[in-house]
Amino acid sequence: MTSECYPLVKTGGLADVAGALPLALQPLGVDTKVLLPAYPGVRDQLTGARKLATLPDLFGGPGGLVSGTTADGLHVLLVDAPHLFARKTGGPYLGPDGLDWPDNHLRFAALSWVGAQIALGEVGTWRPDVVHLHDWQTALTAAYLHTAKAPAPPSLLTIHNLAFQGVFPMALADTLRLPKTAFDYDGLEYWGNLSFLKAGVQWCDRLTTVSPTYAREILTHDQGMGFDGLLRARANTLTGIVNGIDEAVWNPATDPYLASPYSARRLPSKAFDKAALQVELGLHVRTDVPLFCVISRLTTQKGLDLLLDAMPALHARGAQLAVLGNGDAAIQDEFMRLAETHPGQVATTIGYHEPLSHRFQAGADAIIVPSRFEPCGLTQLYGLRYGTLPVVARVGGLADTVIDANEAALRDGVATGFQFSPVDAVQLGMAIDRACTLFADTLAWQRVQKRAMTREVGWGIAAGAYLDQYERLISRR
Ligand code: ADP
Ligand code: GLC
């Protein structure tokens, strides 16, 4: 169950995972169905879409359950509730004013409630052996299953980002179709409010998050974001599994968005993508300076204010920067201003552009991910696959997926990028400087690129690890 799923609807990495993991599980013999809201345009992307059930009272209006299949063969179930999801403007979470939809508690309670009804055999004819929840938007399912009278299948919650907790005023409790006891201290109650995520953390049979390092970090007071006590109490059910990437979508040899396909064996062709991107963005067409890129939500999490402060290090080496992102207005403005004051050297694109993000990955030499915290991170994995060396903060999944090009790692041929710690502008500047120095040594840079491109980043390992979780849950019953 998920609130977004590539290619149907995407705002970030959750969609990539929700779209790719079920496909990776299929060859392992797992029959999956992905339940998500019928946002505008989603149903039209499915083949064989048909209504499975009518749901007359779906938190304020009539709705239904629709099933269909994506072009990739993903089996999808949609919660069709026009009063909650069919909005002409805005996105999955935010209205056109950039603020949360005021009825998000009802929207995601409805999604969670339908999931629970399917799992309990009350809606449709298919019942899952395991219910897999992703993030707070589906976590309330755990509360519906926990308080149900009928026996419920086991459940697993994957936490993609502990910063998003689905917190609402306790006064809304009456609207959620749960018994009063569900809002006690050992239920949804969360520092005086109620939290959807807490239902999942409290009542799911197992918990996972998207990297081993993040799994350790969230048990600490500093990074537990208010949940560390509860997570420590459930630590024996918590596992960190690093995300994979969809290698059919992210493959420089077959990527339809690129000017020139390439691979580890045909690395020189990447230069055409660099030149094409420089032309597209109005940067000086130069091969002799490194082109760094950023593809990101522009929020405090992602640490891009640190990059603004570290720009002197980048300018000092004559390097170029291309930014693609959207988010906080203040950060957007700063990067726009940077591009205006450094024409030909810095280019900023504000907005969300899937094809352009592929051309960034192919055309840039390195990708900067200076996150203050990062549960897994996918753009550094795409960077590895595209030979676009990641420059990353040593936190969460970034720490687990990039091997720093220090002297020993270079000598042993295992380096795949650059890490910095502590996460501040000085250390980021030094990492950028190290990247520029390595870039100047073409052969050494290419060795690291080839190593990065051949590193295993697909879903194979993670899909096996999730299957292991499912099997443990089933065998316990
Ligand atoms: P998060 O989910 O925290 O935003 P991830 O690194 O896990 O971070 O995933 C981000 C995903 O969103 C990646 O697929 C990335 O390419 C994509 N993305 C982020 N910003 C943009 C943008 N402005 N345009 C296109 N794709 C973007
Ligand atoms: C979240 C995290 C990100 C992770 C993604 C997919 O959005 O912020 O680190 O890669 O989920 O798991």
Side-chain angles (χ1 to χ4, degrees), residues 11-18 134-135 158-162 164 209-211 214 241 243 297 301-302 371 373-381 397-398 459 466:
T11 73
L14 169 61
D16 289 354
V17 173
H134 294 273
D135 276 354
T158 298
I159 301 171
H160 292 264
N161 194 332
L162 197 57
F164 302 112
T209 186
V210 286
S211 69
Y214 192 61
I241 302 174
N243 291 327
R297 292 186 288 120
Q301 173 192 344
K302 300 295 179 179
S371 309
F373 68 93
E374 194 61 75
C376 178
L378 293 173
T379 59
Q380 86 281 11
L381 297 178
L398 301 174
W459 268 102
Y466 280 108

Side-chain angles (χ1 to χ4, degrees), residues 322-351:
V323 177
L324 169 61
N326 58 0
D328 293 354
I331 308 178
Q332 290 186 177
D333 291 349
E334 295 256 25
F335 278 109
M336 290 299 285
R337 201 165 321 127
L338 195 64
E340 276 161 28
T341 52
H342 295 82
Q345 277 186 299
V346 177
T348 299
T349 310
I350 299 300

Side-chain angles (χ1 to χ4, degrees), residues 252-301:
T254 56
D255 192 328
Y257 299 125
L258 306 194
S260 165
Y262 63 94
S263 63
R265 271 187 291 171
R266 282 183 295 134
L267 204 44
S269 296
K270 185 170 162 65
F272 295 113
D273 290 297
K274 180 172 178 178
L277 185 65
Q278 286 168 324
V279 170
E280 181 173 0
L281 299 176
L283 294 168
H284 301 309
V285 179
R286 289 180 62 171
T287 53
D288 59 325
V289 292
L291 168 55
F292 291 86
C293 80
V294 166
I295 305 163
S296 185
R297 292 186 288 120
L298 303 179
T299 63
T300 320
Q301 173 192 344

Side-chain angles (χ1 to χ4, degrees), residues 156 206 208 239 241 465-473:
L156 168 72
R206 292 198 66 80
T208 65
T239 309
I241 302 174
Y466 280 108
L467 178 58
D468 182 52
Q469 294 288 320
Y470 302 155
E471 283 173 342
R472 280 199 212 194
L473 285 169

Side-chain angles (χ1 to χ4, degrees), residues 30-383:
V30 184
D31 168 27
T32 55
K33 292 193 196 299
V34 180
L35 178 74
L36 79 156
Y39 305 112
V42 167
R43 183 180 175 149
D44 301 340
Q45 296 176 61
L46 301 181
T47 52
R50 67 189 179 94
K51 193 168 185 172
L52 287 186
T54 301
L55 301 162
D57 179 14
L58 214 41
F59 293 77
L65 186 67
V66 169
S67 84
T69 308
T70 66
D72 299 327
L74 196 68
H75 300 299
V76 173
L77 296 172
L78 299 179
V79 178
D80 183 21
H83 61 293
L84 300 174
F85 300 122
R87 301 198 169 155
K88 291 197 178 68
T89 54
Y93 317 117
L94 309 179
D97 53 5
L99 301 175
D100 288 343
W101 289 111
D103 58 349
N104 269 351
H105 59 295
L106 297 179
R107 300 171 73 237
F108 295 110
L111 173 64
S112 301
W113 183 83
V114 173
Q117 298 309 302
I118 295 170
L120 293 165
E122 299 288 333
V123 171
T125 50
W126 179 84
R127 277 191 79 177
D129 296 315
V130 172
V131 182
H132 189 165
L133 312 177
H134 294 273
D135 276 354
W136 75 265
Q137 293 90 343
T138 62
L140 208 58
T141 303
Y144 296 120
L145 295 179
H146 179 75
T147 55
K149 301 214 164 49
S155 57
L156 168 72
L157 169 71
T158 298
I159 301 171
H160 292 264
N161 194 332
L162 197 57
F164 302 112
Q165 306 181 341
V167 174
F168 299 99
M170 191 52 97
L172 297 175
D174 289 348
T175 64
L176 300 178
R177 297 189 183 171
L178 284 165
K180 283 223 158 17
T181 51
F183 299 94
D184 289 347
Y185 169 76
D186 56 0
L188 269 68
E189 192 278 337
Y190 187 65
W191 310 107
N193 292 310
L194 62 86
S195 157
F196 281 26
L197 185 69
K198 193 176 166 203
V201 173
Q202 186 91 287
W203 289 319
C204 277
D205 298 287
R206 292 198 66 80
L207 306 174
T208 65
T209 186
V210 286
S211 69
T213 295
Y214 192 61
R216 284 193 300 276
E217 289 170 349
I218 58 179
L219 299 181
T220 66
H221 177 72
D222 276 0
Q223 294 179 71
M225 297 188 165
F227 267 92
D228 47 297
L230 183 53
L231 285 167
R232 279 197 298 276
R234 302 226 52 210
N236 61 340
T237 67
L238 174 67
T239 309
I241 302 174
V242 173
N243 291 327
I245 68 171
D246 187 329
E247 292 181 295
V249 177
W250 295 95
N251 179 353
T254 56
D255 192 328
Y257 299 125
L258 306 194
S260 165
Y262 63 94
S263 63
R265 271 187 291 171
R266 282 183 295 134
L267 204 44
S269 296
K270 185 170 162 65
F272 295 113
D273 290 297
K274 180 172 178 178
L277 185 65
Q278 286 168 324
V279 170
E280 181 173 0
L281 299 176
L283 294 168
H284 301 309
V285 179
R286 289 180 62 171
T287 53
D288 59 325
V289 292
L291 168 55
F292 291 86
C293 80
V294 166
I295 305 163
S296 185
R297 292 186 288 120
L298 303 179
T299 63
T300 320
Q301 173 192 344
K302 300 295 179 179
L304 292 161
D305 48 313
L306 304 178
L307 177 57
L308 288 164
D309 291 341
M311 283 308 288
L314 200 140
H315 291 318
R317 302 295 297 256
Q320 297 179 338
L321 175 68
V323 177
L324 169 61
N326 58 0
D328 293 354
I331 308 178
Q332 290 186 177
D333 291 349
E334 295 256 25
F335 278 109
M336 290 299 285
R337 201 165 321 127
L338 195 64
E340 276 161 28
T341 52
H342 295 82
Q345 277 186 299
V346 177
T348 299
T349 310
I350 299 300
Y352 193 94
H353 301 288
E354 193 75 27
L356 187 57
S357 74
H358 286 243
R359 293 200 289 279
F360 266 53
Q361 289 283 6
D365 297 296
I367 180 161
I368 301 178
V369 194
S371 309
R372 292 194 162 82
F373 68 93
E374 194 61 75
C376 178
L378 293 173
T379 59
Q380 86 281 11
L381 297 178
Y382 302 143

